[in-house]
Structure formats: C-alpha cells, structure tokens
C-alpha cells in the first residue's frame, strides 16, 4: 500500500508540457497585442532582415535582398538570409517563444537584430490561414532545402525537398489569405505597408519591381545649402505628417545611436495634447505614436528618428520606459534647447516667428531652466499696461515690476494703475506669474511685487480732509448700504476722470466673502465650523473717484434712500467693469438698483 502511494505521488509530480490553443493565441495577438493586422508585414520584413544580418555576421559579402510578391490571395517573401536546417525548423518555427537569435553563438550579436521576442511568424496567422516556409541553410551547405507548412488550427508538417527546390541559401515564406483578409495581401497595400515600415532598412527590399527602401534618410542626405536642406525637409514633413513646418531641428545624438529630425508645428497646440512621434528601430518603423520620446515641454514639435539603442515593448509598437529612454529624452530635449538659444543668438526673425506661435512651450521650459529664461528674456512676450513687451524691456521702464496673478485682477486694476504711472504685468496666463517671480534670479537688482488692492489704493490721490469731512454724511449712508456685501467705501481722486468708481479686492478678501456666504447658508454645525475659520483679511472696497462729475452730483444728494440706490448702482457697474463673476447677492443688487433708479426717474416725471 505504501509502495503504491509512493508511486502515485511520484507520478503526480512528474512534469507536463503546456498545451497551446493556437486559435486562441492568434486571437490574443490580433485583438490585444497588436494594434492592427498590418503588423504581419513588419514581422515578415523583420524576420528577413534579421536572417540577412545573421548570415552577414559570418559571410560579410553575402547578398542582401528581400523580395515580396503579392496577388491579393497570397503573398511570397524571399530573402537571401542565413536559412534553416530541418532541426532548426523543428526547434525554432514549431516552438512558440523561441528565437533563432538565441542559438548558434549569436546571443552576443543580438543588438544587431530587430526581433527580440521570438513571436515570429505567429503574427501572420492574423491574415493567413496557411503559412508555408521553404528554407536552405547557409551555415550547412550540404543540407537540403526544408519545407515547413503550418495551419491556423495548430498543426504543421515538415519535409525535405530536392536541392533544385531552392538552389541558393535563404528563406521563402508563402502566405494564403484567410477569409475576409485578402485586402491585406493586395499588391498595392503590401507596397504601401512595406514602404511605411521599411523605407530606412539597410538592405535592398522590393515589392515586385518597386523599391521599398529610400536611403540615405532625408536628414542624412547632403544638400547644396542650408536653404535647400530646409526645403527638402519641409517637403518630407508634409509627406510624413501632413503639415509644412516652421523649421526643422537636427536630432543627432551619436552616443545614443540616434539620427533624425524634429519638425516645428506651424500652429499652436495645447500643452496637454500628446504628440505622436515616428521611431524607427535599426531602420524598421517601430511606432508612429511614441509619446514619451521628448520632454513634456517640447509639445511644439513632431519628430522622426532612427535608433539602435531604445528598447521596444513585446508588441514592438511602443518604447519601453527605462533609463536609456530617459537619457535619450534628456539628450533630445537638450538639442531642442540648443536650437532655441541658437536662434536667439543668430536669427531673431525666425525666433520671433516661432515665439508668435509657440511662446507657451518656451515659457514652460524657461520656468524650470534659468539659463533658458536668461536667453529668452528679451524675446518672450507678456501682456502689460505698456502693451506687449518682454520682461527685459518692461523692467528697464519701471523700477518695480508689479504683476497680478489672475487675468481678472489685471483687468480690474490695469486702466487705473496705468493712469497713475504704475506698470503692471498680467501674470494670469499660463506660467507668466512664475516667470515674473523668477525675474530677479536672472536679472539681479530687479524688484518684483504682486499688485494688490492696498498698493493700487496707495497710488491714488487722497481727497482734501476738509472736503472729505463735508461728505461724511453721504459716505456714512453709502458704507451702511454696502456693509452687508462685505465691501467698504473709499474716497480718492484719480484718473481717468471717466471712471466713477473702482472695485478692488484681493484673493484673501474673495475667500472671506465665499466663507461668509457659505456660513449664511449652512446649518448650525457647519456654520460654527465656518465661523471658526473667519479670518482678518481686508474687505473689498469700492473706490469713488472724487474727480468724476457723477460722483460729485451723487455726493450732494440729501435723500438717504436715493444715495443708497445710487451707491448700489455704482457698485454693480464697477463689478461689471472688473469682469468679476457675480454672486447671487451681487446679481440681486444690480437688478434692485436698476429698478430703483427707474422708479425714481419715472416718479419725478409724474410729479412734473
């Protein structure tokens, strides 16, 4: 009994071999690993190119040809590569996941190959119901040709052929289209895909008589002049991406094995928009949607390059995020940065044309790069009370560089500050306030200050104390009317005379208003919590212009109700001029004051 138990235990522990459902694996490849059936042709080209590379590693003078013949129902791919023996066929083609690059002493040379994952011919089952491979080994000259035929149900047959079936070393792959996939084996489609994937391959590749490869790459070709080069690259960009670039930037990083070009977009794009770059791996197109290739700030370019150092993912349709990719990203970012500084130093007209479209991208870079900010300081445009100026020019005009953090604050104070001789930079746009605050770090001695309500009020002329005392009654009524709105009344004299009143507040005042409004609407518990958060922030203020004729007439009124209605009207008009979002209480006040003034005007007419 013990012996039987022991034998049973040993049997249950013996190893078993995985059984693979090829139909299910093909479905996995076509619907999950690969983005499109078109990748089957890339796999065929990749196998052919790798086979030639393997043969040339041992026979440098061996021919290097790949030929494709398509008729809509079938496809034949011939290469002059290293070929396979019968044992190679059994161990390599019939074993999922094994790559020919792992054997025969070629492990150390794998960096020369395109394929890294050994998935191989399985991708062809996405478009084919039958795959037939005829191969003759270049390593074993006396070995006969061998034929391997596989079907999508997972079955395959192997047989040797007479020498005349394939006189020369190499491999021929025959595909027979599966139902509904004939379009992928159409000659024109095969030519288009072959050129898309293989235009930079180092060997002679043809579809029928049509050449596929187009070497050297456009960025590596000699040109008579820089202008001729720009025209040729612009044409290449239009063919590849569909736009004519503002400029082209050479991407030459020999240490990373990278050659290519970045094309500057002719129109502005959102920084959040992910760019799609074209990446070739040893000449073979890897992806046309590489998003992580450049730094985030370089969203204004689209690039195409060839590399032999980056690592592809299992699908070979994107890049693997690792230290090498991070280093390449930094190196390419440095090339774009150098291009910008070169324009600043030697071609200001092209730089101005670029900044007119893409200043946001440069500002994004400059806020983290002091050297770039110093270089771009005379060129980056900012909205100021003196018009569109660079920070350098604005700082030369004003001893203190005042700025606002929001567009609303700028619109609120810009006209008044400008009339008082106070220069203000609108820091409300993306990155602008950060760059203004960084100004002293690259321009020592520059004074930068945020413009708040107190600063604006301090630059307005005070009214003679005697005159202000005479208006004490009017001011008391006006202040009482606006007190529920958390707003004070201030009397000043300022230009332009056409502005009767100015509404001033800052973020702290707005936060306190929002807290007070929430407290009024909250239950007892939340009202208590919000009440404990009450701050000592200054309240908003309505600055009345004593030089304005309308203010002078209103201040002479005797009727307290009419003074209150007029004050509410001035408050509402000042809010609208500041383009502030209106609270419900503000909207109600504007409507109430408008109706009150109409009633007062029509009542006076009726009495007459």
């Amino acid at each position: 009994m013990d012996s039987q138990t022991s034998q049973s235990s040993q049997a249950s522990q013996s190893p078993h071999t995985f059984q693979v459902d090829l139909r299910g694996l093909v479905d996995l490849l076509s619907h999950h690993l690969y983005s499109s059936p078109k990748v089957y042709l890339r796999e065929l080209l990749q196998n052919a190119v790798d086979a030639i590379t393997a043969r040339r590693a041992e026979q440098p003078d061996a021919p290097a040809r790949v030929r494709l013949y398509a008729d809509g129902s079938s496809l034949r791919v011939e290469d002059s590569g290293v070929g396979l023996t019968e044992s190679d066929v059994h161990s390599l083609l019939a074993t999922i996941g094994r790559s020919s690059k792992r054997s025969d002493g070629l492990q150390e040379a794998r960096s020369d190959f395109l394929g890294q994952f050994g998935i191989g011919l399985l991708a062809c089952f996405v478009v084919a119901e039958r795959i037939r491979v005829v191969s003759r080994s270049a390593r074993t000259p006396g070995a006969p040709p061998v034929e391997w035929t596989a079907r999508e149900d997972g079955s395959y047959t192997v047989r040797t052929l007479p020498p005349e079936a394939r006189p020369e070393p190499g491999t021929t792959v025959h595909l027979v289209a599966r139902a509904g996939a004939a379009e992928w084996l159409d000659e024109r489609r095969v030519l288009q895909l072959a050129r898309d994937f293989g235009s930079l391959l180092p060997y002679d590749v043809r579809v029928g008589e049509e050449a596929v490869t187009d070497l050297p790459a456009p960025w590596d070709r000699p040109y008579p002049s820089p202008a001729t080069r720009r025209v040729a690259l612009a044409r290449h960009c239009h063919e590849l991406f569909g736009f004519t670039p503002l400029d082209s930037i050479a991407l030459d990083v020999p240490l990373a094995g990278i050659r290519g070009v970045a094309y500057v977009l002719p129109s502005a794009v959102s920084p959040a928009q992910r760019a799609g770059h074209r990446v070739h791996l040893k000449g073979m197109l890897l992806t046309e949607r590489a998003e992580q290739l450049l730094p985030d700030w370089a969203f204004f370019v689209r690039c195409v390059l060839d590399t032999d150092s980056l690592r592809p993912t299992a699908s070979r349709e994107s890049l693997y995020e690792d230290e090498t990719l991070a280093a390449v990203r930094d190196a390419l970012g440095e090339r774009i940065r150098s291009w910008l500084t070169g324009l600043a130093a030697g071609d200001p007209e092209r730089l101005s044309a670029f900044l007119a479209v893409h200043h946001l991208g440069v500002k994004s870079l400059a806020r983290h790069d002091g050297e770039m900010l110093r270089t771009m300081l005379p060129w980056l445009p900012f909205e100021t009370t003196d018009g569109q100026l660079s920070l350098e020019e604005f700082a030369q005009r004003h001893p203190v560089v005042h700025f606002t953090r929001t567009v609303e604050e700028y619109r609120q104070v810009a006209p008044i500050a400008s009339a008082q001789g106070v220069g203000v930079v609108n820091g409300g746009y993306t990155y602008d306030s950060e760059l203004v605050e960084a100004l002293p770090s690259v321009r020592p001695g520059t004074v930068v200050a945020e413009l708040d309500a107190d600063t604006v009020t301090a630059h307005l002329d005070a009214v003679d104390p005697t005159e202000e005392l005479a208006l004490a009654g009017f001011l008391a009524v006006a202040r009482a009317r606006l007190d529920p709105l958390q707003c004070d009344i201030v009397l000043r004299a300022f230009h332009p005379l056409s502005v009767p009143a100015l509404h001033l507040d800052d973020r702290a005042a707005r936060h306190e208003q929002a807290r007070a409004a929430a407290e009024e609407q909250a239950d007892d518990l939340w009202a208590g919590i919000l009440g404990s958060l009450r701050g000592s922030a200054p309240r908003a203020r309505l600055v009345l212009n004593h030089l304005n004729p309308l203010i002078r007439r209103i201040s002479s009124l005797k009727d307290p109700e009419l003074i209150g209605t007029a004050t509410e009207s001035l408050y509402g008009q000042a809010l609208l001029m500041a383009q502030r979002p209106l609270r419900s209480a503000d909207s109600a006040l504007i409507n109430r004051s408008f109706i009150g003034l109409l009633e007062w005007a029509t009542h006076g007419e009726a009495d007459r």
Side-chain angles (χ1 to χ4, degrees), residues 49-50 53 109-116 197-198 200-203 257 279-286 305-312:
V49 170
D50 283 348
T53 301
R110 291 191 71 213
S111 63
D112 294 331
F113 296 104
L114 301 175
Q116 298 284 325
F197 284 121
L200 300 184
L201 289 174
Y203 305 133
V279 178
H280 295 255
L281 181 61
K282 303 179 184 70
M284 181 74 75
L285 178 66
L286 179 70
L305 55 83
D306 189 21
T307 176
D308 58 17
S309 64
L310 297 179
R311 179 182 170 191

Side-chain angles (χ1 to χ4, degrees), residues 544-575:
L544 303 181
N545 187 359
H546 188 56
L547 301 180
N548 181 267
L550 177 61
I551 296 298
R552 288 183 174 273
R553 289 196 296 271
I554 293 175
S555 63
S556 64
L557 295 174
K558 304 302 181 184
D559 184 349
E561 187 61 32
L562 184 55
I563 291 175
T565 300
T567 301
E568 290 180 339
S569 297
L570 291 170
Y571 174 83
Q573 189 264 353
L575 277 182

Side-chain angles (χ1 to χ4, degrees), residues 473-527:
F474 159 75
L475 293 174
V477 173
R479 285 170 180 149
R481 183 58 69 96
L482 295 187
D483 185 67
L485 298 172
Q486 306 296 316
C487 183
D488 292 333
I489 294 287
V490 178
L491 187 65
R492 291 290 187 271
F494 57 87
H495 293 273
L497 300 179
S498 58
V499 178
L502 175 66
H503 181 270
L504 293 177
D505 63 1
D506 53 29
R507 285 186 303 280
R510 292 194 294 276
H511 292 163
E512 176 60 21
Q513 289 177 348
R515 186 209 59 78
E519 182 181 356
E520 291 179 1
Q521 299 176 4
D523 57 29
D524 291 342
L525 173 61
W526 281 106

Side-chain angles (χ1 to χ4, degrees), residues 85-148:
T85 63
E86 183 175 354
S87 62
D88 291 334
V89 167
H90 282 291
S91 63
L92 300 175
L93 297 186
T95 304
I96 295 173
R98 180 173 296 176
S99 171
S100 61
K101 275 77 76 176
R102 293 193 178 98
S103 61
D104 296 320
L106 292 177
Q107 178 67 32
E108 65 277 6
R110 291 191 71 213
S111 63
D112 294 331
F113 296 104
L114 301 175
Q116 298 284 325
F117 297 93
I119 294 173
L121 291 174
L122 281 181
C124 295
F125 280 117
V126 175
V127 299
E129 66 177 18
R130 187 170 76 254
I131 303 173
R132 177 171 166 259
V133 178
V134 177
S135 187
R136 184 166 187 168
S137 175
R139 292 192 186 125
T140 311
V146 60
E147 177 190 73
W148 176 83

Side-chain angles (χ1 to χ4, degrees), residues 177-200:
R178 66 189 303 166
E183 62 173 303
W184 294 105
L185 274 61
D186 175 76
E187 184 178 27
R188 300 312 301 175
R189 173 64 70 89
V190 168
L191 177 61
Q192 179 257 317
L193 291 178
R195 284 176 172 168
D196 200 33
F197 284 121
S199 62
L200 300 184

